[in-house]
Amino acid sequence: FLRKIGGSFSFRSLFGLLSFTCGTYAFQHMPVGEATVLISVAPVFVAILSICFLRETITWVKVVAIMLSLTGVVLTVDLPKCLSRNRKELRNLSLALAVVAALGQALSKASAYIVIRRSNNRVYFLTMVFWYAMFAFSAAALYILIGFFSFWATGRDTSRFIKAILPKEYLYLIAISVLASSPR
């Protein structure tokens, strides 16, 4: 039982972190309106994944809703401009990666929802919030260590790197995580 629950924490945390990372990249490298539209495809992915992993039935109403949603995305987002084959411009490549990142966030978000649903209320929701925060904190700490050692190894000034990382925010993150995981 605990191994199964721990696995759901790990997957939920991984999908949440991947969703946040992809969304951040998408918002930084493409117009916010188009990124928002692409990210809002998450319910379509939830419907498809719920059929595959939760064994929910699909009705013709769901199929029509999925098709209308996808049609709206295609009409709203200028995909030909984003996926242009003109590789001379780095902007087009960056935009294409941002499209993939936005869709990656939608898929990651949908996957996290499916993992939460599969937990069948066996876990207090704030405990899941705690483990997500701990996973994100650990991943951020690893990223910071890699960044610090890359600065150090190349002989750059590490004091600038340390000043850019605000330890106070990490302490806040730990405090919020601990408070969120307190028993009912």
Side-chain angles (χ1 to χ4, degrees):
F1 174 75
L2 288 177
R3 185 180 301 164
K4 199 171 192 179
I5 296 298
S8 71
F9 287 144
S10 300
F11 282 122
R12 164 63 184 101
S13 299
L14 178 67
F15 289 136
L17 185 64
L18 186 62
S19 173
F20 180 77
T21 305
C22 288
T24 301
Y25 184 87
F27 283 121
Q28 286 179 342
H29 292 90
M30 70 184 301
V32 174
E34 291 182 359
T36 304
V37 169
L38 287 172
I39 289 168
S40 68
V41 174
V44 171
F45 287 132
V46 169
I48 294 168
L49 292 174
S50 68
I51 293 165
C52 299
F53 294 104
L54 301 176
R55 292 184 171 73
E56 293 183 1
T57 57
I58 187 165
T59 62
W60 68 270
V61 174
K62 278 187 184 178
V63 171
V64 169
I66 288 171
M67 296 312 238
L68 286 173
S69 296
L70 293 177
T71 303
V73 168
V74 168
L75 293 174
T76 306
V77 178
D78 190 6
L79 287 177
K81 180 179 86 176
C82 296
L83 302 175
S84 169
R85 293 195 183 269
N86 182 2
R87 298 195 184 252
K88 292 179 182 175
E89 294 183 33
L90 185 60
R91 171 99 174 109
N92 285 347
L93 179 60
S94 177
L95 206 52
L97 289 174
V99 168
V100 171
L103 292 173
Q105 187 199 18
L107 182 59
S108 299
K109 187 189 300 188
S111 300
Y113 294 159
I114 296 298
V115 169
I116 290 169
R117 178 65 176 89
R118 282 192 62 130
S119 70
N120 288 331
N121 297 326
R122 295 178 296 214
V123 179
Y124 186 50
F125 76 96
L126 288 178
T127 303
M128 199 168 277
V129 170
F130 166 78
W131 284 108
Y132 170 67
M134 285 292 108
F135 188 89
F137 175 78
S138 301
L142 180 65
Y143 179 73
I144 289 168
L145 284 173
I146 290 169
F148 177 79
F149 285 115
S150 70
F151 262 64
W152 179 71
T154 58
R156 290 188 278 178
D157 183 17
T158 56
S159 64
R160 282 188 30 207
F161 182 82
I162 292 171
K163 287 178 186 174
I165 306 302
L166 301 173
K168 186 170 50 173
E169 275 107 9
Y170 285 102
L171 293 176
Y172 291 150
L173 176 63
I174 291 171
I176 290 169
S177 301
V178 168
L179 291 174
S181 69
S182 60
R184 293 187 226 198

